[in-house]
């Protein structure tokens, strides 16, 4: 027997809420879910379907997929060699949804767009597409970190993930990087080929605290090969101030007496 029929799953009501911190309203602590559904049609073991997510604050995403019948599996049963084609499109207007995982020590924000396509078989799909982000920001005041105006562009093609551009502002300076983030092993190549990045920093404010300030300029490369991390480059410190205190900000109460020391 061959499988035929339809599957339909839809949200009727409800929302997704998270811990947005003290003082947050009920609206700020939800993604504003508006639509969530899955539709699939099955005809003689072939599946054609779509999935949709729409929300006011959590972003929007769509997935369209088609899975053909397996050429080797018995009728009515799926097989890993079944052909597949799929496309995923997503857009997130803000990364503030990550705040519950970052806690109160850091904040992150920005916009992200994803467009991916997959072809091949069910167990070995080949993914290609683009990932882009802009207005990216990360702040961690207690560590003196402030990176803003970030831009990220990455592409996927036949098992290779390429970082086309990563840039952000830090103080009056900037940081840029590009290269390969991951790469599938090809025939005749040794194992362990992976990340290879080239970076440049121009008066980049690495740390910005009253007791820890560091501005640096330089360039270099970073690579992962054969289980080793290879780092090469040149770095110059333009400005710096590091204060060391054995007990920073700590004073003894006047009623404390240390034996062997004058009061």
């Amino acid at each position: 027997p061959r499988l035929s029929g339809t599957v339909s799953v839809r949200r009727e009501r409800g929302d997704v809420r998270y811990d947005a911190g003290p003082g947050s309203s009920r609206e700020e602590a939800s993604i504003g879910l508006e639509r969530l559904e899955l539709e699939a049609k099955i005809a003689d073991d072939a599946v054609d379907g779509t999935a949709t997510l729409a929300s006011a604050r959590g972003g929007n995403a769509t997935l369209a997929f088609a899975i053909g019948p397996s050429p080797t599996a018995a009728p009515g049963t799926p097989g890993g060699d079944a052909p597949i084609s799929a496309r995923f499109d997503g857009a997130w207007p803000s990364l503030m949804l990550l705040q519950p995982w970052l806690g109160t020590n850091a904040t992150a924000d920005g916009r992200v767009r994803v467009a991916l396509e997959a072809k091949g078989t069910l167990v070995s799909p080949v993914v290609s597409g683009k990932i882009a982000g802009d207005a990216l920001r990360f702040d961690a005041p207690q560590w003196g970190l402030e990176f803003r105006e970030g831009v990220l562009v990455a592409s996927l093609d036949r098992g290779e993930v390429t970082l086309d551009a990563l840039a952000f502002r830090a103080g009056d300076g900037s940081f840029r990087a590009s290269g390969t983030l991951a790469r599938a092993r090809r025939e005749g190549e040794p194992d362990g080929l992976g990340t290879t990045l080239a970076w440049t920093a121009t008066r980049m404010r690495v740390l910005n605290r009253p007791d820890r300030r560091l501005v640096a300029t330089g360039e270099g490369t970073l690579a992962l090969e054969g289980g080793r991390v290879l780092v090469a480059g040149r770095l110059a410190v333009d400005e710096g101030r590091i204060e060391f205190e054995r007990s920073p900000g700590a004073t003894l109460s006047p009623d404390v007496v240390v034996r062997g020391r004058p009061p």
Side-chain angles (χ1 to χ4, degrees):
R2 297 272 182 183
L3 291 179
S4 296
T6 60
V7 176
S8 179
V9 181
R10 289 189 180 93
R11 161 196 172 270
E12 289 188 353
R13 59 186 177 273
D15 208 340
V16 177
R17 296 186 174 87
Y18 57 95
D19 182 8
S24 299
S25 66
R26 185 180 181 88
E27 180 178 305
E28 292 172 333
S30 70
I31 69 171
L33 188 61
E34 299 168 346
R35 184 182 178 190
L36 181 63
E37 63 184 37
L38 169 67
E39 299 278 354
K41 295 181 180 180
I42 309 169
D44 295 332
D45 292 347
V47 183
D48 195 356
T50 59
T52 304
L53 165 69
S55 65
R57 289 172 296 280
N60 304 308
T62 60
L63 172 66
F65 59 93
I67 305 173
S70 169
T72 59
T77 59
D81 57 351
I84 183 176
S85 63
R87 179 173 178 83
F88 175 85
D89 291 283
W92 291 267
S94 174
L95 297 180
M96 291 301 292
L97 292 177
L98 299 176
Q99 199 58 47
W101 288 271
L102 295 176
T104 59
N105 294 327
T107 59
D109 202 359
R111 297 183 293 267
V112 176
R113 299 175 303 280
V114 178
L116 301 175
E117 288 187 349
K119 295 183 181 296
T121 62
L122 200 57
V123 295
S124 300
V126 178
V127 181
S128 61
K130 288 278 187 180
I131 300 173
D134 63 282
L136 302 176
R137 184 182 185 98
F138 179 80
D139 295 317
Q142 77 281 13
W143 299 321
L145 303 178
E146 182 191 10
F147 306 133
R148 65 187 192 282
E149 300 177 27
V151 176
L152 168 68
V153 180
S155 57
L156 293 79
D157 184 23
R158 292 175 296 178
E160 183 169 308
V161 182
T162 302
L163 181 64
D164 300 310
L166 171 64
F168 54 80
R169 300 282 299 173
D172 296 329
S174 62
F175 177 87
R176 296 180 181 274
S178 61
T180 301
L181 291 178
R183 180 172 153 186
R185 181 179 179 273
R186 298 190 176 106
E187 189 175 353
E189 290 183 340
D191 293 331
L193 291 174
T195 301
T196 304
L197 295 177
W199 59 269
T200 60
T202 305
R203 294 194 60 82
M204 172 185 170
R205 191 173 293 278
V206 184
L207 299 174
N208 188 25
R209 276 182 27 167
D211 59 339
R212 297 175 195 170
R213 189 174 71 253
L214 182 63
V215 178
T217 297
E219 59 184 7
T221 59
L222 183 147
L224 301 178
E225 183 176 333
R228 297 181 301 166
V229 180
L230 308 177
V231 180
R234 175 189 60 84
L235 194 65
V237 176
D238 301 305
E239 299 177 21
R241 179 181 178 88
I242 306 294
E243 296 182 7
F244 175 75
E245 294 179 284
R246 191 175 300 276
S247 299
T251 58
L252 293 177
S253 175
D255 64 336
V256 174
V257 177
V258 181
R259 295 184 61 181
R261 293 188 182 183

